[in-house]
Structures are given as C-alpha cells and as structure tokens.
Amino acid sequence: MSKKSLLQGENEKSFREEENLGIVDSLVQLSYLVHSILSRVGESYNLSIIQIRLFGILRDREPSMLQLAQHLNLDKSSVTGLINRAEHRDLVKRTANPNDSRGVNVILTPVGQKLTIEVATEIGRQVTALADSLTENECSQLSILATKIIGAVR
Amino acid sequence: MSKKSLLQGENEKSFREEENLGIVDSLVQLSYLVHSILSRVGESYNLSIIQIRLFGILRDREPSMLQLAQHLNLDKSSVTGLINRAEHRDLVKRTANPNDSRGVNVILTPVGQKLTIEVATEIGRQVTALADSLTENECSQLSILATKIIGAVR
DNA sequence: TATTATAGTTTGTATCGCAAACTAAATCAA
DNA sequence: TTGATTTAGTTTGCGATACAAACTATAATA
C-alpha cells in the first residue's frame, strides 16, 4: 500500500491507479473532505470550524466555561477568547451559575440559535451530497461502520 | 437517552434509529476523530495540522510557493509565513527555480524528511488503532466506501 | 479561621490566515 | 526594442486562534 499518499491533501490526484487507499489513507482523506465542507460552510457564515463545534455543543447544553474547554479540548483561556468574540457578535451569552458565583454558563442567543440551525442544515446538505456517489445500501453501511468506530472510542 | 449529536436537530431525521447516527453525523464525528489524531500526533512533534499537510505534500514534490498555496488552499502570503517558520526550524528549505528567477521551490531538509516519516508512521499507527473495533471485513469495507467517495469527488 | 482548590480572566507570546501594497522578474504588444 | 502588463513572492497590518503563567474571586477544607 502506498505509504506516500498517507498525508496528502484532498486535492491530490497522483494515486488514481490505486484501486483502494487502505484504511489509513481513506480515513485521513475522507476526514479532509468533511473538514473542507465544514470550513467552506463556516466561511459563508463567517464562522470558523471551532465556532461551528462550539455552536453544535451549545445547541443542546448550557455548559460552563470549563466544560466547554473539555468538550473542545482547549485551554480555559482559549475558551475565554472564543466566547468573548462570539459574545461581541451577539451569538452567545454568559449567564451566572446560581450555585457557584465563580461559575459562568454559556448559552446561545436567539441570533446564535438561528445561525446554528442554518449552518447545520447546510452542512447536512453538503455532507449528504458527499455520499451521493454511494448507493443507499452503501450509505447506510458506511454510517453503521463509522458509528461503530465512534461508539468504540467513546 | 440518546445523546443528541453535534449538528443534527431534533426535527431533522428524528425517526432514525438511535443506534445509528445517520450519514451526516457519523461522517462529521468520524472526521473530528481523525482530526484529533492528527492534532495529537502533531502536537507530540510540535507540528500543527497545516504543517503535517505541508510535509505530506513535500514528501513527493518540490513545489513552488504558488503550487503550495493551491495544494493547501491558502493565500500565497500565508504560505510565505508557513515556510518561514518551518525554515527557521530547519525542516524545509527554499531553492531557486532555474527557469524563473522569481520562482522559489520548497524541499524538505534531511531533518524534515526524518520527521515526516516518523509522523506518518505514528499517524498510521493511531488511525489503524481507531479501526480496531471493526472486524477485518468491516475495515476493508469501510476503506472501500471511503475510497469510493474520495474518488467521486476528484 | 487559615489554607487550599477551583472557575474564570488577563497578559504575553506564537501561529495561522487574509487582503492590500509592494518588489522584481517575465511576458506581451506596439 | 521599449513600454505596459502579468506573474511570483514578500511585506505589512490586522484579527482569530491557542497556550502558559500570573492573577482575582469564590468555594471548600482542615
């Protein structure tokens, strides 16, 4: 299996002759593809990928700053900046934690909620389109296999 | 309680079985998983993801700055900074283009080559481990499906 | 009560990324 | 051949991202 293709970007065309990429390359390249969709959709809404992830989390939760840091795998000081910038755009809001006056919870504003839904819808559209080359059967097979991996890691 | 996924709202596709995430969420989350492997491995070598992609490209090529910008989908000025920083660490080198004295090609230094191989090996190890929860059959099935998507996009 | 731990912010530094202005070399047109 | 234009790359200025260390304020504990 061609080790050289391991890290190549999604635009690479040099291994057309390969029937199959192998599990490593195929997953890495598929990840790049999805990532570039997230990036492109985010760009059209002036959102970075980290912000898209943030809004995905806030959709169902009102986490504290520290919980956000854990979810996003960021330093707490990075979360401060992330929330500051989103707050300046009126996308999220800090709220007081009633049980701990040191604590801060973060919620989506109405504007942020609306944006989150729009972005999620568009991402859904484009990721679905990505799988258009698969048959319905293959598509559900793929999502079952991916889900199995995700479940195993968690 | 089904964990509500990152990007899927309750009004879309809520009829889906809880066991399976659906194609959109499963691909997005799988992409996050792979991305976090790249990030973690990169971190252990003091490399960002963009640098990992850069080295993957330089492994087989001596591209010009502009070609790099296209491969990486970056502005040319961003590539200048990227190469500057890598050059300061003696990981890459600018060389003159013999046909065009404006042109600059980029190559890996011996140090950069060694690092590239190490990083690629470790990424291969960890991505393979990611698929450990699959049977051998499922694993090759997954890589076939992913390859089909990748091939269709190209 | 005094100490320690926790939540979050601030400050300082580096990377990343873009756009616009700029330099130098190459190409094209008259 | 000369003058205009295009092209390759860098520089500058800005904002976003990310971390670590120092700091503030509150909570927990001994």
Side-chain angles (χ1 to χ4, degrees), chain A residues 54 65 68 79-88 92 94 106:
Chain A
L54 169 66
M65 298 295 280
L68 272 179
V79 176
T80 296
L82 187 65
I83 298 305
N84 282 347
R85 291 184 295 273
E87 205 171 29
H88 287 146
V92 306
R94 283 175 166 91
V106 181

Side-chain angles (χ1 to χ4, degrees), chain A residues 100-138:
Chain A
D100 186 337
S101 59
R102 296 170 302 179
V104 168
N105 289 346
V106 181
I107 62 173
L108 286 171
T109 63
V111 179
Q113 283 176 20
K114 185 163 171 292
L115 189 59
T116 299
I117 291 171
E118 284 177 35
V119 168
T121 302
E122 184 56 25
I123 288 173
R125 206 172 279 141
Q126 295 203 21
V127 173
T128 301
L130 191 65
D132 265 357
S133 56
L134 305 183
T135 67
E136 206 161 304
N137 238 342
E138 288 174 328

Side-chain angles (χ1 to χ4, degrees), chain A residues 86-97:
Chain A
E87 205 171 29
H88 287 146
R89 288 171 63 183
D90 192 33
L91 300 176
V92 306
K93 205 163 67 103
R94 283 175 166 91
T95 62
N97 180 331

Side-chain angles (χ1 to χ4, degrees), chain B:
Chain B
M1 186 64 209
S2 82
K3 153 191 168 307
K4 217 175 284 167
S5 58
L6 221 50
L7 293 166
Q8 187 167 318
E10 42 196 333
N11 42 2
E12 314 163 15
K13 304 175 183 167
S14 58
F15 51 85
R16 260 185 215 282
E17 252 184 83
E18 308 216 332
E19 308 303 315
N20 187 6
L21 289 178
I23 190 65
V24 173
D25 288 352
S26 62
L27 287 189
V28 169
Q29 291 194 33
L30 184 58
S31 169
Y32 282 156
L33 275 182
V34 173
H35 198 263
S36 74
I37 286 178
L38 299 178
S39 174
R40 185 168 54 245
V41 173
E43 196 175 358
S44 70
Y45 290 94
N46 267 304
L47 295 176
S48 64
I49 286 184
I50 191 67
Q51 287 177 315
I52 289 179
R53 290 183 62 195
L54 168 67
F55 294 147
I57 291 169
L58 294 182
R59 183 161 191 165
D60 324 305
R61 269 160 288 219
E62 299 187 17
S64 67
M65 297 296 279
L66 227 56
Q67 288 172 325
L68 272 179
Q70 290 160 356
H71 273 294
L72 296 168
N73 197 30
L74 292 177
D75 189 271
K76 53 186 181 167
S77 61
S78 307
V79 176
T80 296
L82 187 65
I83 298 305
N84 282 346
R85 292 184 294 273
E87 205 170 28
H88 288 146
R89 289 172 62 183
D90 192 33
L91 300 176
V92 306
K93 206 163 68 102
R94 283 175 166 91
T95 62
N97 180 332
N99 304 318
D100 186 337
S101 60
R102 296 170 304 179
V104 168
N105 289 346
V106 181
I107 61 173
L108 286 172
T109 62
V111 179
Q113 284 175 19
K114 185 162 170 293
L115 190 59
T116 299
I117 291 171
E118 284 177 35
V119 168
T121 303
E122 183 57 24
I123 289 173
R125 206 173 280 140
Q126 295 203 22
V127 173
T128 302
L130 192 64
D132 265 358
S133 56
L134 305 183
T135 67
E136 206 160 302
N137 239 342
E138 288 173 330
C139 188
S140 57
Q141 188 62 24
L142 174 58
S143 100
I144 286 169
L145 293 175
T147 301
K148 191 170 176 184
I149 288 182
I150 294 160
V153 169
R154 261 202 304 257

Side-chain angles (χ1 to χ4, degrees), chain A residues 20-37:
Chain A
N20 187 7
L21 290 178
I23 190 64
V24 174
D25 288 351
S26 61
L27 288 189
V28 169
Q29 291 193 38
L30 184 58
S31 169
Y32 281 153
L33 275 181
V34 173
H35 199 264
S36 74
I37 286 179

Side-chain angles (χ1 to χ4, degrees), chain A residues 22-74:
Chain A
I23 190 64
V24 174
D25 288 351
S26 61
L27 288 189
V28 169
Q29 291 193 38
L30 184 58
S31 169
Y32 281 153
L33 275 181
V34 173
H35 199 264
S36 74
I37 286 179
L38 298 179
S39 174
R40 185 168 55 243
V41 172
E43 197 175 358
S44 70
Y45 290 93
N46 267 302
L47 295 176
S48 64
I49 286 184
I50 190 67
Q51 287 177 315
I52 289 179
R53 290 183 62 196
L54 169 66
F55 294 148
I57 291 169
L58 294 182
R59 183 159 190 163
D60 323 306
R61 270 161 288 218
E62 299 187 18
S64 67
M65 298 295 280
L66 227 58
Q67 289 173 325
L68 272 179
Q70 290 160 357
H71 273 294
L72 296 168
N73 197 32
L74 291 177

